[in-house]
Amino acid sequence: MQNGCFSETSYGLYDPAASLVIYDGTDEGIPVLPNASHQILLPWPKSSELVVLNSVNSGGSYISLYRNALTATEDQRNAIGQITGKKVMVSPDITIKDTAGQPLLLNEATIAFSENGSWLIAETLHGSFVRINLASITAVPFAPSFGSTGSPGLLSSQVAVSANGRYVAINNDVAAQFKVYDLKDCLNGLCKSYDYRPFIGQNITSLSGIRHLRFVNNGLLSFDAITRDSASAGMYEIAPAASINSLIDYLGLGDSFSSGEGGFNYRSGTDSADNRCHASAHAFPELLTRDLYSSVGGHSVACSGALIKDVANSSDSYRGQMSDVADYTHLESVSPLLLNSVYANYIPGYIAQQRFVSQWLPKNMTVTVGGNDIGFGEVLLRCVMPHMSRHASDQTCYNTYEDRHELVSLIDKTIPRWTALYKQLVAAAPGSQVFAVGYPSLATDKGSCGTNVLLSTSEIEFSQELIYYLNGAIATAATNAGVTYVDISQALQGHRLCEAKGYALAVNGLTAGKDVGIFGEEFIGQESYHPNALGQSLIEQAILTKTNNLKRVAIVSPAKDSSTLLSAPKSGRPVVAKIPRKMTARLAPRGKTLRIKVTGKDIGLAPRKTYSIRKNGPTGSSIATVTTDDNGDIDTTIIFPTDTTPGGNTVDIVGDNQAGHPVDVTQPIYVPVSETDADGDGILDTVDSCPTAVNSGVDVDHDGIDDVCDGSIGPPPTTGTTTGTTTGTTTGTT
């Protein structure tokens, strides 16, 4: 394993400081040695070229190129044949020369590449800065260098070049200049420029230096300000006023389907007890950034569990999705450095996602949200839980007209909130294009399901109908708001649950994930029934295809149709406004204290009104009563009844909403059999790979996780024979 600062090349990842290459298709860092000891090797980003700097005793370096780094090297091996490194064995293909035909002598500390690897900028020791074109290998002077001609002591310049090669920024603290050059129209090696240093000094009065220049796009430049006042230090952006209609190219917004939950490999700080945003490196916004933009041009602030309000809330009293995080007013007044870091590093969970839109004015946005508002995850859990216990139930969830009508009604009532959100995003960044992305179908009712699916055929059919209706509502809202709807309902086709196996699956089944037994309040992992890394990749490809790489307005799918979803027998029970919502821990031990927390204005609870907290529905036994506060919020604790049957249950808040209509705020919970063996299968939780689901006794892929909660069941190990030249024949399992 290697740590370092790696550049992406066409043959792998290269860390010039350590002279290590991780070649494509491998996971090892291999040292690369230059042809001569006085040479320095640098990767040319995004290409196969390798830059060679030949240092000169009097100062500076001559610059040459290897056109194909792979063919220039030869394996170095030890006595037992192991590769210990690769050595460059031939002389460079090209020595780069100036306009007079002389080898360029550069100040190597000033070399900078464009983000796309098309251009190189450097300061020469012949009195000028030059721009080198990768395609033609021509060096063109465009600005005078600092210091006297031939002097090697020019180490204070910071440089950057835009992706199109037109603009070059040069900062020199000694000369107190920060110039941006326009190389479109130049005369005799001198190009038009503008010095931004006075303007920056007026706005950052304690400025002492500038570092890390980088073009975010062709019209926006970022830099780090070194200041005498720590409160003013940080990353800044600067651009001509006329060009500021978007500061970044792309921003991903939304819930777990955008954060990449299920793909694992989570960003540091987003997988903790306080922050469970689960921002994955495999998330489709990260893939879009990689394929269409750059690490500075594209970002994601999506967070698992996000509701519409977590994207749209513009109130200074909003507290984010993190556990007990301060509101925006507090962050702004008491923790400005933290708030600056949240903005600059696109850290999800602290502030409403729309604030990033207002701050950065992205050119394009994708947003997946609303599934949590209609309680899709809670609906799915209610369907799964009866099949997890020792006395697995054949009961089918949402099998009556009334059950489904309550869901349809909730989705219909959410359409105006989706519409308002999309309009708000457009207003926050008027020059942006908003892509409202739907949800994918996760399973098929016409296949063979794995042990970890735990859904009946009719329940899978119901989930498909629910996703279709949900997507129809999102499409309607997108049309109402004048934004683009992107239909990804079939993105995972061929790779859904019950449709594929092993590594061809794009969706996790039931999984213990990273939450069970760690955070102490989940009975299954949040990654359950979410797209995995393959699924996120398929979603990205569907978005690229539907939108012509986020450029073309997508074709809107058919409008929502509830006739299929509502085709279930009527039970005759009264229909209430049922609102699936996570409001407490999903693991509820009997006789233990549970915290119940609900934001009333999100679901219409009346202020200063008494509600009943019950278990297993509005007619179930009463646990406690609670009165909402002046905002209609509930934040209380209860003791969960000791006579509750272990396994799947629900906790419900029952009463009338502000309009006087009956509501049932409901959440599935899992009641453990005991504190040491939650599922009662005789395997202690400390050694049980599936602590809340009765083990099946099957582990097809031999990964130590029982298949009932193995999110991705791989193929069985293969057994075969391997013949060796000296040790004969061995038989084993791989």
Side-chain angles (χ1 to χ4, degrees):
M1 299 299 293
Q2 302 290 346
N3 293 320
C5 183
F6 290 85
S7 295
E8 182 182 358
T9 72
S10 64
Y11 49 86
L13 300 174
Y14 198 140
D15 178 8
S19 296
L20 286 173
V21 177
I22 302 175
Y23 288 95
D24 288 338
T26 74
D27 56 6
E28 293 184 79
I30 306 296
V32 178
L33 309 173
N35 184 248
S37 60
H38 67 279
Q39 293 178 337
I40 300 172
L41 301 178
L42 293 177
W44 192 305
K46 312 285 186 173
S47 73
S48 62
E49 271 82 356
L50 187 62
V51 176
V52 185
L53 300 176
N54 292 278
S55 60
V56 178
N57 291 335
S58 59
S61 297
Y62 292 116
I63 181 170
S64 302
L65 283 180
Y66 290 100
R67 274 300 197 183
N68 191 322
L70 291 176
T71 60
T73 60
E74 184 176 288
D75 291 348
Q76 305 292 294
R77 298 179 182 271
N78 59 19
I80 59 174
Q82 296 172 322
I83 295 179
T84 58
K86 290 179 178 286
K87 183 177 176 61
V88 177
M89 302 301 296
V90 296
S91 299
D93 301 314
I94 300 170
T95 296
I96 300 178
K97 300 179 179 180
D98 60 20
T99 53
Q102 299 299 312
L104 276 177
L105 185 62
L106 303 180
N107 169 13
E108 61 270 12
T110 63
I111 291 177
F113 294 92
S114 62
E115 182 73 28
N116 57 6
S118 297
W119 307 92
L120 182 150
I121 303 295
E123 186 177 31
T124 75
L125 273 68
H126 299 307
S128 66
F129 282 88
V130 295
R131 181 187 67 177
I132 300 173
N133 184 305
L134 172 61
S136 62
I137 312 299
T138 54
V140 177
F142 64 89
S145 60
F146 294 92
S148 59
T149 301
S151 170
L154 308 175
L155 304 181
S156 59
S157 294
Q158 304 282 321
V159 297
V161 56
S162 62
N164 62 4
R166 176 173 175 176
Y167 300 104
V168 176
I170 302 174
N171 174 75
N172 189 284
D173 290 334
V174 175
Q177 289 185 5
F178 185 167
K179 288 188 175 182
V180 177
Y181 289 83
D182 185 348
L183 277 63
K184 181 181 180 182
D185 298 310
C186 302
L187 182 64
N188 298 325
L190 296 176
C191 306
K192 295 178 181 179
S193 66
Y194 184 83
D195 188 1
Y196 284 95
R197 189 68 179 235
F199 172 78
I200 294 172
Q202 292 170 7
N203 287 272
I204 310 175
T205 55
S206 61
L207 182 73
S208 61
I210 290 174
R211 297 290 183 273
H212 303 144
L213 274 63
R214 195 170 188 182
F215 278 91
V216 177
N217 54 43
N218 293 327
L220 179 67
L221 181 67
S222 74
F223 62 90
D224 287 351
I226 313 301
T227 65
R228 296 179 296 275
D229 173 12
S230 61
S232 301
M235 187 178 73
Y236 290 79
E237 281 76 28
I238 190 168
S243 71
I244 303 178
N245 49 28
S246 64
L247 302 183
I248 60 174
D249 295 314
Y250 166 73
L251 186 65
L253 308 166
D255 55 22
S256 57
F257 281 77
S258 285
S259 76
E261 183 172 72
F264 294 96
N265 195 9
Y266 298 132
R267 179 180 172 186
S268 177
T270 67
D271 182 30
S272 68
D274 294 326
N275 187 326
R276 296 192 217 174
C277 284
H278 282 179
S280 171
H282 301 299
F284 78 77
E286 299 293 342
L287 303 181
L288 289 173
T289 293
R290 181 198 66 188
D291 292 341
L292 297 180
Y293 308 111
S294 69
S295 59
V296 290
H299 300 275
S300 174
V301 292
C303 181
S304 175
L307 301 161
I308 290 175
K309 73 178 180 69
D310 295 312
V311 179
N313 199 312
S314 58
S315 169
D316 287 349
S317 62
Y318 173 74
R319 291 183 174 274
Q321 290 183 249
M322 291 185 60
S323 174
D324 297 321
V325 70
D327 62 26
Y328 192 85
T329 298
H330 183 90
L331 289 173
E332 196 170 35
S333 60
V334 180
S335 306
L337 291 180
L338 173 59
L339 183 59
N340 286 341
S341 178
V342 167
Y343 274 124
N345 296 295
Y346 301 87
I347 303 174
Y350 282 87
I351 61 177
Q353 296 177 31
Q354 63 83 22
R355 288 191 180 272
F356 291 96
V357 176
S358 302
Q359 177 78 6
W360 297 112
L361 305 177
K363 184 178 180 181
N364 290 313
M365 288 177 265
T366 58
V367 55
T368 63
V369 74
N372 292 314
D373 290 84
I374 66 100
F376 183 75
E378 311 307 321
V379 169
L380 200 57
L381 291 181
R382 180 178 159 187
C383 294
V384 169
M385 283 195 308
H387 309 294
M388 295 176 64
S389 68
R390 175 166 294 282
H391 305 289
S393 170
D394 293 330
Q395 176 186 354
T396 301
C397 67
Y398 293 89
N399 60 346
T400 71
Y401 171 86
E402 290 79 7
D403 291 337
R404 299 184 176 200
H405 179 79
E406 288 164 348
L407 272 176
V408 167
S409 177
L410 179 58
I411 293 173
D412 289 345
K413 291 176 181 177
T414 308
I415 291 176
R417 299 178 57 220
W418 272 307
T419 303
L421 167 66
Y422 301 148
K423 288 182 177 180
Q424 180 181 344
L425 295 177
V426 171
S432 302
Q433 183 166 209
V434 177
F435 295 91
V437 181
Y439 292 90
S441 170
L442 303 174
T444 176
D445 58 339
K446 296 178 173 60
S448 176
C449 299
T451 309
N452 61 354
V453 176
L454 280 83
L455 293 169
S456 69
T457 300
S458 60
E459 287 170 335
I460 293 174
E461 183 182 10
F462 160 70
S463 73
Q464 290 178 300
E465 294 165 355
L466 180 61
I467 288 172
Y468 180 80
Y469 191 78
L470 174 62
N471 284 338
I474 294 172
T476 299
T479 301
N480 294 344
V483 304
T484 301
Y485 169 69
V486 185
D487 181 14
I488 62 166
S489 58
Q490 301 304 312
L492 309 182
Q493 192 167 17
H495 301 273
R496 296 172 294 181
L497 292 172
C498 310
E499 192 171 42
K501 294 182 179 180
Y503 301 123
L505 265 174
V507 186
N508 294 325
L510 181 73
T511 173
K514 299 173 68 68
D515 307 309
V516 175
I518 297 176
F519 303 126
E521 58 178 62
E522 301 291 337
F523 68 89
I524 68 169
Q526 291 179 224
E527 293 85 3
S528 299
Y529 305 102
H530 276 77
N532 58 23
L534 171 60
Q536 288 287 329
S537 177
L538 293 172
I539 290 172
E540 185 225 9
Q541 293 304 312
I543 293 172
L544 290 174
T545 300
K546 294 274 186 178
T547 65
N548 189 23
N549 297 344
L550 296 186
K551 293 178 182 177
R552 178 176 58 83
V553 174
I555 299 173
V556 176
S557 67
K560 60 189 178 69
D561 178 5
S562 64
S563 58
T564 305
L565 182 58
L566 292 177
S567 59
K570 294 184 178 182
S571 67
R573 72 163 176 83
V575 173
V576 301
K578 190 166 293 245
I579 305 173
R581 182 71 83 244
K582 186 177 188 302
M583 53 185 162
T584 188
R586 291 197 174 105
L587 197 63
R590 292 171 291 182
K592 299 295 184 180
T593 299
L594 277 184
R595 183 184 181 186
I596 307 290
K597 188 175 181 180
V598 174
T599 304
K601 61 183 177 182
D602 292 339
I603 51 181
L605 297 187
R608 299 178 301 281
K609 186 175 181 63
T610 299
Y611 288 85
S612 175
I613 300 179
R614 298 176 176 271
K615 67 174 185 178
N616 298 325
T619 60
S621 60
S622 177
I623 301 174
T625 58
V626 61
T627 302
T628 56
D629 64 15
D630 291 345
N631 297 315
D633 298 343
I634 293 174
D635 190 350
T636 189
T637 58
I638 62 171
I639 303 295
F640 209 74
T642 57
D643 61 351
T644 306
T645 302
N649 291 265
T650 67
V651 61
D652 301 77
I653 298 176
V654 180
D656 291 343
N657 61 15
Q658 294 189 69
H661 299 145
V663 294
D664 175 14
V665 185
T666 182
Q667 179 198 311
I669 54 172
Y670 187 92
V671 177
V673 174
S674 73
E675 293 186 14
T676 57
D677 182 10
D679 53 17
D681 61 359
I683 305 173
L684 294 179
D685 293 344
T686 54
V687 294
D688 193 344
S689 61
C690 303
T692 55
V694 173
N695 288 23
S696 66
V698 178
D699 182 10
V700 169
D701 53 10
H702 292 193
D703 62 355
I705 303 174
D706 190 277
D707 285 356
V708 76
C709 72
D710 188 348
S712 179
I713 302 173
T718 57
T719 302
T721 59
T722 302
T723 302
T725 56
T726 58
T727 58
T729 302
T730 60
T731 301
T733 300
T734 58

